[in-house]
Amino acid sequence: MSNSRNHGGKRDGAGRKPVDLDLVLKVGKAFRELQKREKTRKWHSSMEEQTNIHEYHRFINEIPVSERKAFLQSSDYVEHSKAMDDELEAYGQPMNRDGKPSRLVRTARLYGCNEKIRKEVAEAFGISEVQVKNYVQKYRRIFE
């Protein structure tokens, strides 16, 4: 209906309703945190199932900082480094410039995970999954 008795014009209540920016920020931040947590969980489970890299890393970190320089000069380090390279090569890491497997381990994209996270965030905030998707897109436009 129009505001006047004549035809045409804007209807009362037509158009999109304004979105509270605080809600967009909260939903976007919650979505990102859950996404980060899921990616970390996937990375840890993948690394622990397929490699011993976590044990190698723990071994190095147990060496006191004052003794690490001496360790880097030892044959133990060469053995340790070779074992790490073998594990990373078996894991399928791409080669770096030196011809060794890259030690920057990345995980693949989280397929199917966003839908689960969207549903979880929607339930937490009492909004629909479509709204969560739209709010996350708006959050990304603002902060990325």
Side-chain angles (χ1 to χ4, degrees), residues 56-57 59-60 71 75-84:
Y56 293 136
H57 186 67
F59 170 72
I60 290 293
F71 175 75
S75 61
D76 288 341
Y77 173 73
V78 173
E79 183 181 319
H80 168 79
S81 185
K82 176 80 172 104
M84 283 282 288

Side-chain angles (χ1 to χ4, degrees), residues 125-139:
F125 285 93
I127 57 179
S128 72
E129 292 179 43
V130 174
Q131 285 176 308
V132 171
K133 187 176 181 179
N134 292 337
Y135 292 175
V136 168
Q137 286 177 350
K138 191 168 192 162
Y139 179 84

